[in-house]
Amino acid sequence: MQEHSQALKMAGTDKNVEDESLESARKARLHWLLINLLALTCAALIVNVFAETIEQIVALAVLMPIVAALGGNVGNQAVTVTVRKIALGQVGWQSAYPLVLREVKMSSINGLIMGGAVSLLTFFWFHQALLGVVIAIAVIINLAVAGLIGSLIPLLIKKFGGYPAIASPLLLATTTDAIGFFIFLGLAELILI
């Protein structure tokens, strides 16, 4: 029963919240959606900075979701592992270094593999070798950063008294999208234009 109580607490709930009315639950979820909208607007503003670059190379708009989605998936993997270890009491802020290092190493290796795969896909799709290089570099960097951020965010939230299982995905998605778009579009502007 104590494990169940701890799991509810980690998820940002307790017995009272579990039994709350539909309207109370809806309002609590709307709060997070509004925060998410604000955060996604930041990512959209980054894309808007590179609007002229995207207009010149339309393929960038087609490929942007790949960079963002891969970063999000890798980050979510790191968040899931970290939140689980926090919930089980296996890791805390003081003992986080091995976990964070492991997640960054795994994400970097997978970034190299996925960067190569996406580069080949891009070359065969758009017949532009340099565009393939740009997206490969962006994927490699974004996945490494996603592993780092995905493991650090839950630890930081827990350190400051928050609920990692609730807040981590929101912060992670916005961060990996914004960083991924900035890296990909910034490299495209530097290298391709």
Side-chain angles (χ1 to χ4, degrees), residues 3-25:
E3 286 180 11
H4 177 69
S5 175
Q6 287 175 339
L8 289 173
K9 192 171 183 179
M10 286 300 295
T13 63
D14 58 25
K15 182 68 176 157
N16 295 332
V17 175
E18 198 175 358
D19 295 333
E20 70 188 0
S21 70
L22 174 67
E23 186 61 15
S24 295

Side-chain angles (χ1 to χ4, degrees), residues 114-124 128-129 131-136:
M114 294 308 297
V118 172
S119 180
L120 288 173
L121 174 69
T122 300
F123 175 73
F124 287 116
Q128 297 179 32
L131 179 59
V133 170
V134 167
I135 196 167

Side-chain angles (χ1 to χ4, degrees), residues 96-177:
Y97 181 75
L99 170 70
V100 173
L101 183 61
R102 184 173 193 263
E103 290 301 321
V104 171
K105 283 181 180 179
M106 275 193 295
S107 301
S108 298
I109 293 167
N110 285 339
L112 288 167
I113 295 166
M114 294 308 297
V118 172
S119 180
L120 288 173
L121 174 69
T122 300
F123 175 73
F124 287 116
W125 192 355
F126 295 102
H127 307 289
Q128 297 179 32
L130 213 45
L131 179 59
V133 170
V134 167
I135 196 167
I137 294 168
V139 166
I140 292 165
I141 294 170
N142 198 33
L143 267 58
V145 170
L148 175 66
I149 292 170
S151 57
L152 284 178
I153 286 176
L155 290 161
L156 285 168
I157 291 169
K158 178 68 176 168
K159 179 177 173 64
F160 292 106
Y163 300 106
I166 298 277
S168 295
L170 165 76
L171 296 173
L172 173 77
T174 304
T175 306
T176 56
D177 285 357

Side-chain angles (χ1 to χ4, degrees), residues 15-81:
K15 182 68 176 157
N16 295 332
V17 175
E18 198 175 358
D19 295 333
E20 70 188 0
S21 70
L22 174 67
E23 186 61 15
S24 295
R26 184 199 60 77
K27 284 181 182 177
R29 291 181 186 188
L30 180 61
H31 169 78
W32 284 107
L33 288 172
L34 290 171
I35 292 170
N36 195 3
L37 176 61
L38 179 64
L40 289 171
T41 301
C42 294
L45 290 171
I46 288 173
V47 172
N48 190 54
V49 168
F50 295 99
E52 289 181 21
T53 303
I54 295 169
E55 286 176 12
Q56 291 180 36
I57 307 172
V58 177
L60 297 173
V62 175
L63 296 169
M64 279 177 15
I66 295 173
V67 176
L70 287 172
N73 286 334
V74 166
N76 278 324
Q77 291 169 351
V79 163
T80 301
V81 168

